[in-house]
Every structure is written in C-alpha cells, then in structure tokens.
Amino acid sequence: MSEKFVDWNKTTRSKDYRGSSSFATFMIIGPTCFFLGILFAFFPYDFPLLWTKDPISAAYLDQLETHLKFIHQSPPLIARVLSIMVGVGFLGFFIKLFRASESNMLFDGASLVLYLIGVGVYVANIVKGLRLVSAGAWTDDDFDLKGAASPHRKGGDPLTGGEMILGREDSLKVLAASNTILALVLVGVLVLQAGQWYAERKDSEEFEKFEKEKSAAPSSPTAEKNKKKQ
C-alpha cells in the first residue's frame, strides 16, 4: 500500500501513534456501545420473533407495531442525535487512519469495514422497516392476505411503489434479524479494538523484555579495556 496512506516506519512506541489509549479510540467505542445499548432495549421485542417456537399472538404484533411507530415518529432531535453519534464514530476512524501505522490498518481498517456494514444494515433494513411500519403498510386495502402463497401488498412498497413487501409478521422478523446482525457487527468492532489493545500490550512486554536482556548482557572485551583505561 502507498506510503501516502500508511507510515511503515511508525510503531506502537512512536509519539504520533494513535492506538487503543488515544482519544480517537473512545470516539469509536462510545458510539458503538451507545448503539448496542439501543439494540439491547429492542431485544425483549425481538426475542419472541426469533428465538422461541411459541406461536406469536396478534396482540403482541400490535404492541410491537405501536412501539416501532412511536420510535419512528419521535421528534427530529432523536434522529439528529443518532446521526451525530454515527458521525463521531466515523471521525474517530478517520483520525486513527490518518497516516496510519501497520497496526492501525489491521485493526482500525477492519473495524471501519464492520462499521460501514453496520451503517448499511441500519439504512437498508432497519430504517426501511420502521418506515413501512409507520406508514401502516399492512392495514390498507391493497394488502392481500389470502390471494397468494404468502401475504403481500398488491401495489408493492407504499413508499416506492415498486418492491413487493412481505406480511406483517415476516417483515417484523426481518427487522428483528437486522437488529441481531447489527449487534453482532458492532460487537465485532469492539473485539477488534480490544485486540489492538492486547497486541500493543504484548508488543510493550516484548520490548521491555528485550531491553532488560540487552542491559543484562555481558560487555565485550573491547568495552572492558576502555573502562579500565578510564
């Protein structure tokens, strides 16, 4: 890779190295934990859809749909805060990857890829699912419950008019699965950041061990003669 993006001479002991103890790392970990907390709050609703074999009642689906509508129709300030938190995470990655070391490219580069995947899942699946719930896609007359092998909307997506959407229960299951995928991706970001900290710790231990062995090594005969002359 070009030296324009990677500084191959930079090590974990360089003064300008931005590692696990830098403020940029906290700019990454903070938003990641923030979003994991939001997903954990969704878990009691997602659990019956994905992790149990018990039949799902219509009352539960109504309650979940009401909850999702309330979230999607929240004041604009909530969406702005979420966007700011996403931006803070990206800023942390850009700071750590500016003139990056080999360690930054390995751990922070992989973390950025996972972070981008998470944003893609959020925009493509979760936001779209919330918009469909808020628009009441399953309550209008165009939704066909009996005319096909699986429930679907005749006119397609009420927001775009093109793509066919699934029934209410299947769509809510897709939304719950997207939450689970996003949680796993964000946990992967934390694991990589923890891996960077562990690698730096082992590197520091190896360096200290090398320095001790170097200082404890016997002096050469020439060095001994010079000491005697002095």
Side-chain angles (χ1 to χ4, degrees), residues 127-204:
V127 171
K128 181 180 178 181
L130 292 174
R131 290 173 64 199
L132 288 174
V133 173
S134 185
W138 305 284
T139 59
D140 56 20
D141 296 334
D142 290 331
F143 197 80
D144 185 7
L145 293 173
K146 299 179 180 179
S150 61
H152 68 285
R153 192 177 189 276
K154 297 177 183 177
D157 190 336
L159 302 173
T160 63
E163 185 178 351
M164 185 184 75
I165 61 172
L166 301 173
R168 179 170 71 159
E169 182 176 337
D170 291 334
S171 296
L172 293 176
K173 285 182 177 180
V174 171
L175 185 58
S178 300
N179 289 338
T180 303
I181 294 171
L182 179 56
L184 293 175
V185 169
L186 294 176
V187 168
V189 173
L190 294 181
V191 169
L192 285 170
Q193 293 299 308
Q196 185 180 40
W197 168 82
Y198 181 78
E200 292 171 358
R201 180 183 174 186
K202 295 301 292 184
D203 183 71
S204 178

